[in-house]
Amino acid sequence: MGIKSFQGIRRSTKKEFDAPILVEDYMTTKLVTFTPDQSILEVMEAFAKFKISGGPVMDDNGFLVGIISEADCMKQISESRYFNQPILDKSVERYMTSEVETIPHDITIFDAAGIFDKHNRRRLPVMKDGLLVGQISRKDIVVAALKLSGQNYK
């Protein structure tokens, strides 16, 4: 005859992690965006005004077509001096990165950190159903990790 347990029904003891760990929890949603036909000078002024180092480039229909960064502007500054031309006459389209790595809104910050490491980017546009919904930077990932450092995540 077997031994009966008098403990009752056991519930799972696996601890659920309830802290926010998704990219959408830490991404920036109020973005400064640019258009392909804007001048590099306007972009540099926006970088200074909003204290940013890059931003997405959107077409007339609101779709992501590229990303422009301070590094892209440095190319224009260098060329303008070499060719002795003013900065004003160059468009974003000429200097933006048009093949942009993006990430989905619903991946974890840990997966995003791996993507940042693999692609060596400073910021990544965040997409949901093919539309731009935000942007996340390396700094956002570091801040998220610091907020979670007191948590037990497995």
Side-chain angles (χ1 to χ4, degrees), residues 1-148:
M1 184 160 126
I3 300 174
K4 293 185 177 183
S5 173
F6 294 103
Q7 295 178 357
I9 299 173
R10 290 187 181 190
R11 292 194 168 92
S12 174
T13 58
K14 185 176 178 181
K15 185 177 178 183
E16 292 294 322
F17 185 70
D18 61 353
I21 61 169
L22 299 179
V23 165
E24 66 186 2
D25 298 320
Y26 295 98
M27 69 183 183
T28 301
T29 57
K30 295 179 181 177
L31 301 176
V32 176
T33 62
F34 304 98
T35 62
D37 59 339
Q38 269 185 290
S39 76
I40 288 293
L41 182 61
E42 289 176 323
V43 170
M44 290 189 288
E45 288 171 346
F47 286 174
K49 179 180 179 180
F50 297 107
K51 297 179 181 166
I52 58 175
S53 61
V57 180
M58 311 294 283
D59 68 10
D60 293 335
N61 297 318
F63 291 105
L64 180 69
V65 294
I67 197 160
I68 188 82
S69 68
E70 288 176 332
D72 299 322
C73 293
M74 292 299 115
K75 293 175 199 170
Q76 205 290 322
I77 292 168
S78 175
E79 284 181 13
S80 68
R81 180 172 183 207
Y82 181 77
F83 293 111
N84 197 22
Q85 296 175 340
I87 294 174
L88 304 172
D89 62 348
K90 306 296 181 179
S91 68
V92 168
E93 188 170 33
R94 182 172 174 181
Y95 293 96
M96 71 181 189
T97 302
S98 56
E99 293 186 24
V100 182
E101 290 96 10
T102 63
I103 58 174
H105 68 104
D106 58 353
I107 66 169
T108 68
I109 60 165
F110 309 109
D111 293 333
I115 293 169
F116 274 109
D117 183 49
K118 181 179 177 183
H119 294 286
N120 198 25
R121 298 285 184 223
R122 296 179 110 182
R123 74 196 57 75
L124 291 169
V126 181
M127 307 297 281
K128 181 178 182 179
D129 300 326
L131 299 174
L132 180 70
V133 293
Q135 180 173 279
I136 194 152
S137 69
R138 288 181 182 181
K139 184 177 181 180
D140 296 329
I141 299 297
V142 170
V143 168
L146 287 172
K147 287 181 180 178
L148 296 173

